[in-house]
Amino acid sequence: MSETLSAPPLSARRARWGTIGYFVATGAALGTWTSRIPAIKQDLGLDDGRMTIALFAIAVGSVLAMQVVGHLADRFGSARVLGPAGLAMAASLLVPGFAGSLPVLVAGLVLFGAGHGVVDVAMNAHSMQVQRQYANPIVITFHALFSVGGLIGSGVGAVAAQLGTPVPLHFALAALGLAVLVEASRRRLLPAEPHRTSGERERARGISPAILLLGVLAFSCSLGEGSMADWSPLYLHDELRTSPAIAAIGYAVFSTMMAVCRFLGDHLVARFGPVALVRTCGLIAGVGMGAGLLAHHPVAAITGFALFGIGLSCIIPQVFSAAGTRDPARAGRDLAQVSTLGYGGLLAGPVVIGVITHWTDLTTALLIPAALALVVALAAPIVRPRPAAG
């Protein structure tokens, strides 16, 4: 086995577990929040419109934080950023948990979104630093464990809701648990890498064409993921006339296949290379989703959603990997730019599909994410690793 022949140093193996801790914690924090949205909405007496404002606050906090975290990670090192950022993300759960009014909830969710955004960029930057010490790819598994964290957070939240646990108590216990996890993980991280501070001013400005294209790929995949969350149940229920129970299966299958296939992704990229993997995944997502929609049958649609999840599973991790390794001196900034565009796609997906349904039917509207997946397949060469300098 190649990993046995060229085993990474102990510090890298410890850092791998530390990075895993942050991915799990970030997913769990998000899952904790989403699991109690209905309870918070009811406790504060919010209608759908005001709840939408609150939910949008998370995006505002994340996007604003991403504009500065890349520079901080490049200047001080991702490990130094992750320490306080992880604790801040855990503590930020307390504000929405104890919020007694919409303004306090919105302020708390801005803070939560900012903490989530900072940790997201910094942990992805650190995962690049760890992967450089391994003979085989390991990044996609990190993203799989983010999904596992989300399942843990939402699962514990579902149990808490079933038991009638008050949201403040639930969020306080979750914040404590997350703080313990991120602090234990911080102690395992690699030290900050040397960084260049002179002669880099021109490169620090703006966004390069390659990073912009990677951002477009992240936007395209995230738009599809966001569309699945909001519109796949409505497609099955309204367009195909299924029961509410069957309608819920579509997104569950999509999410499950995405999480499961990410555990296979590192093996596949090691065997076939990132370009072939992204191209194949894009084709599976686009053709599978398109065929499932055009068949206009519940079984075909659910199968199409499953193939869409399989296809999208490995693309975003490879896009982030390409962005984070393109120039190690500014990995944080490049990842922040790609993450911002990806987050924009996640937010825009439901809106874009909703607007298009005013002019055509939902089947046609959902073909757009399928078409974008085919565009990703065509653009796959952008994820090809650059030759090492020197």
Side-chain angles (χ1 to χ4, degrees), residues 344-380:
L346 197 64
L347 297 173
V351 177
V352 168
I353 300 302
V355 169
I356 293 174
T357 57
H358 287 291
W359 298 318
T360 184
D361 56 50
L362 186 53
T363 301
T364 304
L366 285 174
L367 286 172
I368 291 175
L372 289 175
L374 297 177
V375 172
V376 170
L378 290 174

Side-chain angles (χ1 to χ4, degrees), residues 20 30 44 47 68 121 131 148 156 161 188 212 258 272 342 344 363:
I20 284 172
L30 193 59
L44 297 183
D47 57 23
V68 297
V121 171
Q131 179 169 261
V148 170
V156 172
R188 294 173 172 268
L212 179 59
M258 176 178 279
F272 300 108
T363 301

Side-chain angles (χ1 to χ4, degrees), residues 12-354:
R13 283 175 276 157
R14 284 173 51 84
R16 183 177 185 177
W17 282 106
T19 308
I20 284 172
Y22 274 94
F23 273 84
V24 171
T26 307
L30 193 59
T32 298
W33 155 249
T34 56
S35 69
R36 301 310 299 270
I37 289 175
I40 292 173
K41 181 182 177 184
Q42 180 178 345
D43 290 346
L44 297 183
L46 303 178
D47 57 23
D48 289 342
R50 288 188 292 173
M51 195 66 210
T52 300
I53 294 173
L55 295 175
F56 189 68
I58 298 178
V60 171
S62 294
V63 170
L64 290 177
M66 286 176 180
Q67 306 315 303
V68 297
V69 64
H71 294 275
L72 294 175
D74 289 338
R75 182 171 182 180
F76 300 108
S78 55
R80 291 177 184 168
V81 173
L82 278 171
L87 292 175
M89 179 185 69
S92 67
L93 268 177
L94 297 173
V95 183
F98 285 85
S101 65
L102 178 60
V104 176
L105 179 63
V106 169
L109 291 178
V110 169
L111 292 175
F112 177 68
H116 191 277
V118 170
V119 174
D120 185 272
V121 171
M123 71 184 184
N124 274 287
H126 200 76
S127 73
M128 300 298 110
Q129 187 180 346
V130 175
Q131 179 169 261
R132 283 194 287 274
Q133 301 198 35
Y134 274 77
N136 297 321
I138 59 172
V139 167
I140 300 178
T141 302
F142 290 139
H143 289 260
L145 288 160
F146 172 87
S147 300
V148 170
L151 291 173
I152 293 171
S154 58
V156 172
V159 172
Q162 182 66 29
L163 296 175
T165 306
V167 173
L169 176 59
H170 173 202
F171 278 25
L173 293 174
L176 178 61
L178 290 170
V180 171
L181 175 56
V182 297
E183 178 59 20
S185 300
R186 179 192 66 80
R187 298 172 183 271
R188 294 173 172 268
L189 299 178
L190 294 171
E193 287 188 321
H195 55 276
R196 292 168 286 180
T197 56
S198 59
E200 299 291 334
R201 183 171 300 175
E202 188 63 32
R203 291 168 62 193
R205 285 200 194 110
I207 180 170
S208 70
I211 294 300
L212 179 59
L213 180 55
L214 288 169
V216 170
L217 266 60
F219 180 92
S220 300
C221 293
S222 298
L223 185 145
E225 187 174 348
S227 301
M228 287 295 96
D230 284 11
W231 289 103
S232 61
L234 292 175
Y235 174 75
L236 289 167
H237 184 266
D238 296 348
E239 293 280 311
L240 302 185
R241 306 298 179 188
T242 66
S243 67
I246 296 297
I249 290 176
Y251 184 64
V253 168
F254 166 81
S255 301
T256 300
M257 296 310 298
M258 176 178 279
V260 169
C261 288
R262 280 180 170 172
F263 281 106
L264 304 174
D266 287 325
H267 172 74
L268 293 174
V269 75
R271 181 166 184 178
F272 300 108
V275 175
L277 180 62
V278 169
R279 180 178 290 123
T280 302
C281 283
L283 290 172
I284 290 172
V287 175
M289 172 89 151
L293 292 169
L294 294 175
H296 208 71
H297 187 277
V299 173
I302 292 172
T303 302
F305 295 155
L307 292 171
F308 197 56
I310 291 171
L312 292 191
S313 63
C314 296
I315 297 177
I316 286 286
Q318 285 306 116
V319 168
F320 280 6
S321 181
T325 56
R326 195 164 189 84
D327 182 356
R330 55 166 294 153
R333 281 164 287 181
D334 289 343
L335 280 166
Q337 290 167 336
V338 172
S339 295
T340 299
L341 287 168
Y343 210 96
L346 197 64
L347 297 173
V351 177
V352 168
I353 300 302

